[in-house]
Amino acid sequence: MKMGALDVPKVVHGRQGWRLLTCMWLHAGVVHLLINMLCLLFIGVPLGQEFGFLRVGLVYLVSGVGGGLLSALFLRSSVSVGASGALFGLVGSMLSELITNWSLYANKAAALASLVAVIAVNLALGLLPRVDNFAHIGGLVSGFLLGLVLLIQPQFGWLEQPFGAKSKSKYKAYQIILLLLALVLLAAG
């Protein structure tokens, strides 16, 4: 019956755009649900603790819709369910946060290598039959761009200035440039 799944003909011709949102809450079995829950536990909870529930929740939802949109563009005849696009959005936001706050990390190369390895392995698993890699890619790109906008970690040196002193911006120039570039790309997307 495909209740709530991403079924492109129903989205386009049946005007059921809500399926872009509901498909990320449905799963193709208990194993699929458990894998997504574990990923959310290991990725979403730490991000939520660091940046707050609202920002991370917004990244999750918008990335899930972004993954659904890319999937709908390229997989017009298949039905898709799962939170993988939204989860990849969280991974993409972690990558953008790492790049944006590069100076805060002690072991930069290890952090980048492990995150790129996680992305590569999961994209390789997306080549398996019945796995929607377009949702993964759409979520990853959406999450990366949203991370540049929503997960900019302020530099805290400005807090230590005495009252009345001229304060420096809490963001570095490259963070502002990345934020503006991401806003333009998100608006274009």
Side-chain angles (χ1 to χ4, degrees):
M1 189 182 224
K2 304 180 229 171
M3 294 174 38
L6 180 58
D7 189 357
V8 177
K10 289 184 179 182
V11 172
V12 175
H13 302 297
R15 299 179 191 238
Q16 297 177 5
W18 50 268
R19 289 178 178 273
L20 291 168
L21 188 63
T22 58
C23 69
M24 74 179 100
W25 304 102
L26 301 174
H27 292 82
V30 175
V31 174
H32 187 215
L33 177 64
L34 289 175
I35 290 170
N36 279 300
M37 287 176 65
L38 284 173
C39 290
L40 193 55
L41 180 68
F42 289 113
I43 296 169
V45 171
L47 271 176
Q49 289 173 340
E50 188 173 351
F51 296 102
F53 169 76
L54 289 176
R55 288 187 201 174
V56 174
L58 186 61
V59 170
Y60 184 87
L61 289 174
V62 174
S63 297
V65 172
L69 284 172
L70 193 66
S71 178
L73 286 172
F74 289 99
L75 298 176
R76 296 176 184 228
S77 62
S78 67
V79 175
S80 180
V81 294
S84 299
L87 291 170
F88 263 83
L90 294 181
V91 172
S93 70
M94 288 176 70
L95 181 61
S96 66
E97 190 273 329
L98 175 66
I99 292 168
T100 304
N101 300 307
W102 187 255
S103 62
L104 298 177
Y105 286 86
N107 197 347
K108 299 164 178 51
L112 182 61
S114 63
L115 198 52
V116 168
V118 165
I119 292 169
V121 166
N122 281 294
L123 287 176
L125 289 173
L127 297 174
L128 293 171
R130 299 210 180 268
V131 178
D132 186 357
N133 223 13
F134 289 109
H136 296 170
I137 295 167
L140 183 71
V141 171
S142 299
F144 180 79
L145 293 173
L146 285 166
L148 290 173
V149 174
L150 296 174
L151 304 185
I152 292 181
Q153 186 76 335
Q155 305 300 312
F156 296 107
W158 63 276
L159 290 174
E160 299 168 1
Q161 296 179 358
F163 181 73
K166 189 169 184 161
S167 65
K168 296 184 338 185
S169 173
K170 61 182 177 179
Y171 302 113
K172 293 184 177 183
Y174 73 90
Q175 289 177 317
I176 294 171
I177 291 169
L178 287 173
L179 179 130
L180 294 174
L181 180 63
L183 282 173
V184 168
L185 290 173
L186 280 169

